[in-house]
Amino acid sequence: MSLFRDDGIVLRTQKLGEADRIITLLTRGHGRVRAVARGVRRTKSKFGARLEPFSHVDVQFFARGSELVGRGLPLCTQSETIAPYGGGIVTDYARYTAGTAMLETAERFTDHEGEPAVQQYLLLVGALRTLSRGEHAPHLVLDAFLLRSLAVNGYAPSFGDCAKCGMPGPNRFFSVASGGSVCADCRVPGSVVPSPQALELLGALLTGDWETADACEPRYVREGSGLVSAYLHWHLERGLRSLRYVEK
């Protein structure tokens, strides 16, 4: 029997019995972890409110064995709030739907429980912090998070040079299956011809050029979001349920 301590973001919760919950977290040191929180649905629970989606928490786990993730679910025995991002997210529909899509994306990119995913964790913390503060439009923050999540998981799209032959951009065509922008010689069936402004926006979101992103016209933002969604669905092999509710 061992005690583990880590900090993480609560991705989702599930009811268990009459008073318990299963909490799914993305942690800094152990990747995605599912744990049982006893009695957190009781009104007298001291830390149930801290274990809600979007919360950034310091958590103590109790596990049977020398590994946190094993045959049985560990117990979440203590939690302390690091940052209550949910307070700035759940009261606004656009932020809430964008944040929910971020949580689902983070869970999908961390398929194997117990495997550290530090870059994905840091991306999620930064994105939720930005979203909760309202520093940029929620759909832009979401698209930036999706693009960077793809990048840290090995699926970085190209928005300038040809993704197949490396021909310097800008290139006219865009192919989800080929990895992004492609030249005329590398064009494949199913390629689209997005506007240069939409590709410039996506490049800005990927690199963190918020001055360019914030100044982009709404029509190009919607076009760019469509490309991001298609690219994400291709690599995840099935869509995100929460994306359908995101306001564009």
Side-chain angles (χ1 to χ4, degrees):
M1 297 183 179
S2 306
L3 288 176
F4 298 86
R5 199 166 193 98
D6 208 341
D7 55 271
I9 296 288
V10 179
L11 300 179
R12 62 188 174 97
T13 65
Q14 299 166 268
K15 292 181 180 180
L16 179 65
E18 295 184 357
D20 307 334
R21 279 198 179 111
I22 297 175
I23 313 295
T24 302
L25 305 100
L26 178 57
T27 67
R28 180 189 295 270
H30 298 87
R32 183 162 62 88
V33 174
R34 291 190 307 145
V36 175
R38 299 289 190 193
V40 294
R41 290 164 53 202
R42 297 194 181 102
T43 56
K44 295 183 179 180
S45 173
K46 295 181 179 180
F47 68 100
R50 303 171 194 163
L51 295 173
E52 293 292 337
F54 307 112
S55 296
H56 188 193
V57 291
D58 182 313
V59 187
Q60 179 176 279
F61 301 102
F62 176 81
R64 292 178 173 82
S66 60
E67 299 292 335
L68 175 57
V69 177
R71 293 184 178 179
L73 295 180
L75 295 179
C76 175
T77 57
Q78 189 179 50
S79 71
E80 297 293 336
T81 300
I82 298 174
Y85 295 130
I89 294 176
V90 299
T91 55
D92 181 90
Y93 181 79
R95 293 184 195 177
Y96 176 74
T97 53
T100 301
M102 291 178 189
L103 298 185
E104 185 180 354
T105 300
E107 185 169 2
R108 291 285 296 279
F109 272 123
T110 52
D111 285 339
H112 303 291
E113 292 187 22
E115 292 187 3
V118 179
Q119 287 182 300
Q120 186 68 68
Y121 165 79
L122 294 175
L123 273 177
L124 183 59
V125 172
L128 293 179
R129 182 189 302 120
T130 300
L131 189 66
S132 66
R133 293 175 178 174
E135 297 175 357
H136 307 284
H139 52 273
L140 289 179
V141 178
L142 172 60
D143 285 343
F145 173 76
L146 297 179
L147 289 171
R148 296 176 195 181
S149 294
L150 285 160
V152 300
N153 285 282
Y155 307 118
S158 172
F159 299 117
D161 298 347
C162 178
K164 298 190 72 175
C165 71
M167 178 179 176
N171 286 289
R172 183 182 179 190
F173 304 100
F174 188 91
S175 169
V176 169
S178 299
S181 295
V182 290
C183 64
D185 291 338
C186 296
R187 179 186 180 186
V188 296
S191 298
V192 296
V193 185
S195 64
Q197 293 89 341
L199 292 179
E200 182 183 14
L201 166 65
L202 297 183
L205 291 175
L206 183 59
T207 60
D209 180 2
W210 285 106
E211 183 177 356
T212 297
D214 289 335
C216 190
E217 294 182 28
R219 55 177 172 165
Y220 301 127
V221 172
R222 289 192 293 270
E223 183 182 1
S225 291
L227 293 176
V228 174
S229 179
Y231 195 86
L232 180 72
H233 289 187
W234 173 268
H235 288 288
L236 288 180
E237 297 182 353
R238 56 189 175 94
L240 297 178
R241 291 175 297 174
S242 51
L243 270 186
R244 71 187 69 174
Y245 303 109
V246 175
E247 290 186 335
K248 299 296 184 180

